[in-house]
């Protein structure tokens, strides 16, 4: 059950936040600036690329690397194929994971390694394998991690991951879906891919992203009351529901998938995600079934005080401006409300693709954190 009173008590939120998730969300803008500076200091700006790579391969553990690959693939579009190398292994532990290059990978390809740990032997072996194949290797990981030496052996570029001082304290390891982890890994990769003209993320664009993240932190911070805080409002609306995340627009797709991953890892809640207009066909039967808010398959005379409420769906519509002005949002609202299913909507302020993407991710990150804290996850 969600403790809604906790949402409007900043001191209680701080006490419940044993993983420093709120702090990481609030510092996302500062993390982008620090990561961009580290990329410059590592020499990204002095690179003289011979041209675009044939393909970009991305490897790393957890939701942060998955989301980074998703975002980069979306931003790159048709300019270059982007492939995430999924790990294999018997457990999610650093020592058990292994990665392999596809058989076609060679000297025309770029391997990006992104990890908040850096101690994975499988990533070090991957860097060595890429060197033998002739791939260019770029790694982002904590400074001093074993991957640093492996990147040097592979004659690759290593960029230290931007970390905060408190992350070195006695806190448990940061979750892969933690807001600070994503931006610390993603920002240097964006700077690099801008340098090779794979996507557009110059220094001024990254500064705008940091500014947008700062503005979201001001609107969604713990001191802002629920009634005027979009992230707290969304967290309260999702209490005791099954979130059904629908996205519309190029930027909204990866933001929705990121939100579903953050809900699962941070708050322990499942979520379904799909893009409009296909989502209407995929989830129409679900909304017409027992998960619809108006459905009540249980006995009318059951004890509603002693028993927990039945789980019902709630649609979350994340929208960016769709190309050509065509929108399935009216049909989405009709389908949800026609099945007595409530709907929450988020739409970013105008800006370029990176800015709007950052705003959608930041607001939903805050919402996932508030939901986790208020539900005791």
């Amino acid at each position: 059950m969600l403790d809604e009173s906790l949402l409007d008590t900043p001191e209680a939120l701080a006490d419940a936040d044993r993983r420093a998730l709120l702090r990481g969300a609030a510092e996302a803008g500062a993390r982008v600036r620090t990561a961009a500076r580290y990329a410059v200091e590592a020499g990204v700006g002095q690179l003289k690329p011979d041209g675009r790579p044939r393909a970009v391969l991305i490897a790393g553990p957890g939701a942060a690397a998955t989301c980074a690959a998703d975002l980069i693939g979306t931003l790159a579009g048709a300019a270059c194929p982007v492939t995430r190398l999924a790990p294999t292994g018997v457990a999610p532990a650093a020592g058990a994971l292994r990665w392999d290059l596809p058989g076609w990978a060679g000297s025309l390809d770029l391997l990006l390694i992104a990890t908040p740990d850096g101690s994975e032997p499988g990533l070090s072996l991957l860097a060595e394998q890429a060197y033998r194949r002739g791939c260019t290797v770029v790694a982002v990981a904590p400074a001093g991690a074993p991957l640093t030496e492996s990147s040097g052996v592979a004659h690759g570029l290593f960029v230290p991951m931007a970390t905060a001082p408190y992350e070195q304290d006695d806190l448990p390891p940061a979750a892969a879906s933690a807001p600070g982890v994503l931006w610390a890994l993603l920002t240097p990769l964006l700077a690099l891919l801008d340098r090779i003209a794979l996507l557009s993320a110059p220094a001024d664009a990254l500064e705008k992203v940091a500014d947008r993240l700062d503005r979201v932190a001001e609107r969604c911070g713990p001191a802002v009351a629920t009634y005027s805080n979009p992230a707290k409002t969304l967290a309260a609306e999702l209490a005791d529901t099954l979130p059904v995340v629908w996205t519309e627009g190029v930027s909204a797709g990866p933001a929705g998938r990121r939100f579903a991953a953050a809900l699962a890892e941070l708050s322990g809640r499942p979520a379904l995600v799909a893009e409009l207009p296909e989502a209407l066909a995929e989830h129409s039967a679900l909304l017409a079934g027992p998960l619809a808010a108006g459905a009540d398959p249980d006995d009318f005379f059951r004890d509603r005080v002693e028993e927990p409420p039945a789980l019902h769906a709630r649609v979350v519509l994340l929208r960016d401006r769709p190309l050509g002005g065509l929108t399935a949002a009216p049909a989405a609202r009709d389908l949800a409300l026609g099945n007595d299913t409530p709907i929450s909507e988020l739409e970013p302020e105008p800006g370029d693709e990176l800015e709007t993407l950052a705003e959608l991710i930041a607001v939903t990150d805050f919402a996932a954190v508030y939901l986790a804290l208020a539900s005791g996850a």
Side-chain angles (χ1 to χ4, degrees):
M1 297 293 291
L2 186 78
D3 182 3
E4 292 193 33
S5 64
L6 185 142
L7 291 177
D8 285 325
T9 311
E11 297 80 7
L13 282 171
D15 292 340
D17 191 12
R18 294 180 293 273
R19 294 178 287 176
L21 296 174
L22 271 178
R23 191 168 181 177
E27 294 176 349
R31 196 71 66 101
V32 168
R33 295 186 184 92
T34 303
R37 176 167 55 84
Y38 284 1
V40 171
E41 293 173 353
V44 168
Q46 281 70 51
L47 294 177
K48 297 179 180 178
D50 295 328
R52 291 180 178 176
R54 177 181 60 179
V56 174
L57 307 171
I58 301 179
T66 301
C67 183
D70 193 7
L71 293 172
I72 290 171
T74 298
L75 294 170
C80 177
V82 177
T83 302
R84 176 181 176 260
L85 302 181
T88 58
V90 296
L97 297 176
R98 293 292 182 270
W99 288 262
D100 289 300
L101 290 175
W104 50 262
S107 59
L108 300 177
D109 305 310
L110 171 63
L111 172 65
L112 304 178
I113 299 176
T115 171
D117 187 335
S119 67
E120 301 91 347
L123 288 178
S124 297
L125 292 173
L126 179 68
E128 295 171 7
Q129 181 186 9
Y131 173 65
R132 293 194 299 270
R133 296 269 200 96
C135 297
T136 302
V137 179
V138 178
V140 181
L147 187 60
T148 307
E149 182 178 351
S150 302
S151 300
V153 171
H155 298 280
L157 176 67
F158 178 81
V159 182
M161 176 182 167
T163 58
Y166 60 84
E167 292 178 342
Q168 310 302 323
D169 297 337
D170 295 330
L171 293 173
S177 292
V181 173
L182 171 65
W183 293 109
L185 294 177
L186 178 64
T187 304
L189 302 182
L190 292 177
L192 169 74
L193 297 176
D194 174 79
R195 183 64 182 171
I196 63 176
L198 190 60
L199 49 79
S200 178
D204 60 337
L206 294 178
E207 183 61 32
K208 288 181 180 179
V209 167
D211 292 341
R212 181 70 68 100
L213 292 172
D214 287 344
R215 291 199 295 273
V216 172
E218 292 174 359
R219 292 166 46 214
C220 300
V224 181
T226 298
Y227 67 85
S228 59
N229 186 321
K232 287 184 179 180
T233 299
L234 181 57
E237 290 172 345
L238 292 181
D240 304 316
T241 70
L242 172 66
V244 179
V245 183
W246 290 346
T247 67
E248 183 174 55
V250 176
S251 298
R257 292 185 285 274
R258 156 79 179 179
F259 186 33
L263 286 172
E265 184 170 3
L266 301 183
S267 63
R269 293 172 180 263
L272 301 176
V273 60
E275 296 187 19
L276 293 176
E278 290 89 348
L280 303 181
E282 289 181 29
H283 294 156
S284 60
L286 181 150
L287 297 186
L291 287 175
D296 191 359
D298 297 332
D299 179 35
F300 179 80
F301 297 102
R302 79 180 191 278
D303 189 343
R304 286 174 168 77
V305 175
E306 296 297 331
E307 295 182 13
L311 182 68
H312 295 305
R314 185 181 187 99
V315 171
V316 179
L317 179 56
L318 304 182
R319 298 186 65 215
D320 197 5
R321 282 152 295 283
L323 295 175
L326 297 175
T327 176
R333 297 185 190 104
D334 289 344
L335 177 61
L337 299 178
N339 287 287
D340 296 321
T341 301
I343 183 169
S344 304
E345 296 191 38
L346 289 177
E347 185 171 341
E349 298 176 0
D352 64 28
E353 190 174 17
L354 265 178
E355 288 181 84
T356 57
L357 185 56
E359 180 175 338
L360 287 174
I361 290 175
V363 174
T364 52
D365 274 353
F366 265 107
V369 170
Y370 283 128
L371 193 58
L373 299 181
S375 59

